[in-house]
Amino acid sequence: MHMHRCTLIAVLATLSLAAAAGAACIPGTSPGAIQTELNAGRNAVLCQNATFNITYMITFAVNGTQIYTEGAPTGATRAKLRIASAAVQTIIYGVDKSNIQIRNVIIDGARPTYGYVRPNAEGLIRIGGNASGQKVQYVEAYEPRGWTAMAIYHGDLVWNGTAWVGGCTAATITNNFIHDSGDVETRNWADGISLSCRNSYVGYNTVQDATDGGIVVFGSPGSTIEFNTVRNINRTGLGGICMVDTTYRRWVSLGAVQTEAGDFTGTSVQYNTVEANAEYCGLFCFPTRLYIGIAMGPRIWWCSPPNGVVSVYGGKAIGNHLTGNAMANGMPADGVLNWTATGNTSDAYFMGITSSSSCGGTNTQNAFVKHSDGRVPHATGTFQPEYIVGQGHHLHPF
């Protein structure tokens, strides 16, 4: 039986394309090809089970490009990008590039090999900036050398009197596993996820053993942070989820009074689980694994905030759950205005004691504490009935 010449050509072309597709992924022996592909405006498609030793920062060059493992696996067959030079702190840089994606890869910051870089090193992954629509999904990242495993930078934003304009918007950070970030004892702490991009979505991530904040929300107006699990088991952390920073500063009206505050308007931290557990170590031994479950307000973090702004405004913490035997403070509110904290639950163990604050006065250690007794309005808004009145001023020891 003879094959028609046109049919033969078509078959050969198909086989050729299939062979090319099969060979299209970048092998671990060619780490430089990642940057070559990105510079050409193409996706960097990495081979499964490949390990790339990275000796210079990988930089997105064109909007809409991606770095991912061929076939989009979510387990151990994902390609691994590993820092392999003391000169590298950020392994992937995507600032100011819209619609880029980093997905289905493993990222090793190699801190045990190359050490921490303090105080100025950037995040292991750094995206955001003057861009929109960025995505990080199904990424495992660990051991950053700098201050965070993942930074979504706010960019050049401006408050025009009625709205925020410019900068970063609409990032999506989902289904990632971020773990082993920093060290409290040596004060080389690090965040897990640091969100400073507005109108963004951070959901269904697991952040384990971050030592500064597990998920830190730098205002990020209009953002939703939900269904994440933040846990500290082997490393002590300062805060599980932090709503304390005043990056988005603007003037707000409180009755007839104008006050400068960090803007959390439309930002909701909801339906997350924060866990702190430690192995039992004997009578009267209570090892702290997490100082604050969900921190709300600058006064929780500082005696005197570095920019002088002592309040945040308009945020919501709804339906979150605290659990574990090694959390010092639950969901304290000190320095929040027009705030909502409702529907949150806790079965975590708290000692329920008061202790001297380094800022003066005494702090109350419990699941739900707000600093507002009618005379000192450091927490205004709507709070669930479990909240008791007490101070929460500077609740971590650093």
Side-chain angles (χ1 to χ4, degrees):
M1 176 177 169
H2 297 286
M3 185 176 291
H4 191 277
R5 182 172 182 274
C6 291
T7 304
L8 178 61
I9 291 173
V11 169
L12 291 174
T14 300
L15 292 173
S16 177
L17 287 171
C25 69
I26 302 171
T29 52
S30 303
I34 299 173
Q35 192 64 59
T36 298
E37 292 297 286
L38 295 176
N39 288 346
R42 297 187 292 265
N43 296 336
V45 184
L46 314 181
C47 295
Q48 292 190 25
N49 296 303
T51 297
F52 296 83
N53 289 315
I54 304 301
T55 56
Y56 55 84
M57 184 171 68
I58 298 167
T59 302
F60 279 93
V62 178
N63 292 341
T65 50
Q66 305 179 27
I67 299 173
Y68 65 93
T69 302
E70 185 178 50
T74 58
T77 62
R78 287 173 292 181
K80 178 185 286 188
L81 304 171
R82 178 186 179 276
I83 285 179
S85 167
V88 180
Q89 295 98 46
T90 296
I91 200 165
I92 298 178
Y93 183 88
V95 172
D96 296 340
K97 294 295 179 288
S98 292
N99 301 312
I100 60 170
Q101 295 186 29
I102 306 167
R103 56 185 179 85
N104 305 93
V105 294
I106 298 171
I107 297 178
D108 179 0
R111 189 275 315 162
T113 300
Y114 296 105
Y116 296 107
V117 181
R118 296 295 193 272
N120 297 320
E122 295 292 352
L124 181 58
I125 302 167
R126 182 169 169 81
I127 59 173
N130 303 318
S132 64
Q134 299 179 331
K135 293 183 178 181
V136 182
Q137 299 174 311
Y138 295 103
V139 169
E140 179 182 353
Y142 54 93
E143 295 291 9
R145 302 182 64 205
W147 68 277
T148 183
M150 186 190 308
I152 307 96
Y153 172 56
H154 51 271
D156 300 321
L157 53 91
V158 175
W159 175 255
N160 69 4
T162 57
W164 292 101
V165 295
C168 181
T169 187
T172 301
I173 313 297
T174 56
N175 295 293
N176 302 292
F177 179 35
I178 311 297
H179 60 97
D180 297 312
S181 298
D183 177 71
V184 162
E185 284 69 23
T186 63
R187 302 196 179 192
N188 289 305
W189 42 70
D191 295 348
I193 298 171
S194 304
L195 176 70
S196 191
C197 183
R198 70 184 192 281
N199 300 322
S200 294
Y201 184 81
V202 178
Y204 300 94
N205 303 285
T206 297
V207 180
Q208 181 169 309
D209 289 329
T211 56
D212 198 343
I215 300 175
V216 180
V217 186
F218 290 80
S220 307
S223 296
T224 299
I225 298 90
E226 67 178 4
F227 298 115
N228 301 285
T229 298
V230 179
R231 66 168 67 102
N232 284 75
I233 300 172
N234 297 308
R235 300 188 189 189
T236 294
L238 304 187
I241 301 177
C242 301
M243 306 172 76
V244 303
D245 287 278
T246 56
T247 300
Y248 286 78
R249 293 189 299 278
R250 67 179 180 91
W251 291 90
V252 298
S253 296
L254 297 176
V257 179
Q258 289 280 310
T259 185
E260 191 178 20
D263 190 4
F264 278 74
T265 302
T267 295
S268 185
V269 170
Q270 59 189 33
Y271 313 123
N272 303 283
T273 298
V274 181
E275 174 188 353
N277 266 308
E279 291 184 6
Y280 177 71
C281 57
L283 194 62
F284 305 117
C285 176
F286 300 94
T288 299
R289 286 292 179 264
L290 189 60
Y291 284 101
I292 310 159
I294 299 178
M296 300 181 291
R299 289 168 56 86
I300 298 296
W301 214 255
W302 299 281
C303 291
S304 298
N307 58 18
V309 179
V310 298
S311 299
V312 291
Y313 177 90
K316 297 180 180 181
I318 299 172
N320 301 286
H321 182 62
L322 309 177
T323 190
N325 65 1
M327 191 182 302
N329 302 275
M331 291 184 59
D334 201 336
V336 297
L337 306 173
N338 192 31
W339 204 259
T340 300
T342 57
N344 303 287
T345 59
S346 174
D347 59 19
Y349 170 76
F350 297 98
M351 296 180 69
I353 61 174
T354 58
S355 58
S356 296
S357 168
S358 59
C359 310
T362 58
N363 288 326
T364 303
Q365 188 181 85
N366 218 315
F368 304 109
V369 178
K370 63 175 181 175
H371 192 176
S372 182
D373 60 6
R375 297 169 300 159
V376 184
H378 289 310
T380 68
T382 302
F383 293 87
Q384 62 195 75
E386 290 89 348
Y387 267 88
I388 62 174
V389 172
Q391 181 173 285
H393 204 178
H394 191 221
L395 287 177
H396 64 78
F398 301 101

